[in-house]
Amino acid sequence: MSSPTASPASLAASVRSVSVEKYAGGAVVPLADRVPVEEPLEIKLAFDRGALRTVRSVAVTMRTPGHDLELATGFLTTEGILHSRDEIADMSQPAANVVRIDLAAGAAPDLRGLERNFYTTSSCGVCGKASLAAVRTVAKSPLPAGRPRLSAALVPELPERLRAAQPLFEHTGGLHAAGLFDASGRLLVAREDVGRHNAVDKLVGARLLAGTLP
């Protein structure tokens, strides 16, 4: 299997070198190691409320930097706030750890279901939910009956195919990944993050921004 590669820019943002000590053969040996970066990301949503433009901070999540606009878009999609690319008028990253999503004029997001404590860790996708009812979601695009159909022999091969598309894991050995495959087993999109739910949100955001969701 060939090793996946990452650009120098993505490595600089997502991977950090640290000094560690390894105990082996009765001796302590100093080593340099690479670990994934985990930093907070604040997601802000701008929308019209009457004649005023309102900007609201909807969440702060711990994530691995990289694909931040996709992460914010995917988060708002999986929370039921966004439904299509047309609802987004503008996207920006005014600071390294801040993303702002501006909704199109006239869009009136229903934020009642987004009852979070405005902070989630990378290890938990539902930690900030205010109630059990808020955890339940309704599929916006239910799958048609009997589809997709996959070969039983194909399913065990998918993890290895995803692993081949994980450059940051190749450097650190400590990142989750989410991959989207078609029914033939072709990998369409792969994203990495210290948080499993973040990796999924990055993937969902990428597809929504490309206009290919569902």
Side-chain angles (χ1 to χ4, degrees):
M1 180 183 68
S2 60
S3 298
T5 59
S7 69
S10 64
L11 279 178
S14 306
V15 177
R16 181 173 298 148
S17 294
V18 297
S19 298
V20 300
E21 292 182 336
K22 179 179 179 180
Y23 180 79
V28 176
V29 181
L31 294 173
D33 195 11
R34 285 179 167 180
V35 298
V37 173
E38 182 179 33
E39 292 183 350
L41 178 70
E42 181 180 9
I43 300 172
K44 293 185 175 182
L45 187 66
F47 54 93
D48 293 334
R49 178 163 287 174
L52 299 176
R53 192 67 171 171
T54 298
V55 180
R56 176 173 170 181
S57 180
V58 296
V60 175
T61 184
M62 298 299 295
R63 98 303 187 194
T64 298
H67 301 104
D68 288 340
L69 295 178
E70 293 177 354
L71 172 57
T73 301
F75 173 86
L76 294 173
T77 301
T78 56
E79 290 291 338
I81 305 303
L82 286 176
H83 305 93
S84 74
R85 177 66 177 85
D86 294 337
E87 294 176 315
I88 301 175
D90 191 27
M91 309 174 69
S92 61
Q93 196 157 6
N97 290 325
V98 178
V99 165
R100 170 170 164 162
I101 307 293
D102 281 75
L103 298 186
D110 183 1
L111 302 180
R112 291 174 299 176
L114 198 63
E115 295 177 337
R116 295 241 183 185
N117 294 326
F118 299 109
Y119 174 80
T120 63
T121 68
S122 59
S123 62
C124 181
V126 300
C127 301
K129 291 295 188 181
S131 66
L132 288 177
V135 174
R136 302 183 186 278
T137 59
V138 177
K140 302 299 181 183
S141 305
L143 292 174
R147 296 174 55 194
R149 297 187 64 85
L150 304 177
S151 162
L154 171 64
V155 176
E157 298 178 3
L158 299 183
E160 189 68 12
R161 296 184 186 186
L162 177 59
R163 171 67 182 84
Q166 294 180 243
L168 299 182
F169 183 88
E170 185 74 13
H171 286 275
T172 66
L175 279 170
H176 295 293
L180 178 66
F181 294 85
D182 64 17
S184 69
R186 180 170 62 98
L187 180 63
L188 304 176
V189 183
R191 292 293 183 264
E192 295 180 278
D193 200 279
V194 288
R196 280 172 284 193
H197 61 94
N198 285 342
V200 172
D201 280 347
K202 288 179 178 181
L203 189 153
V204 171
R207 298 301 281 185
L208 182 130
L209 292 175
T212 52
L213 188 71

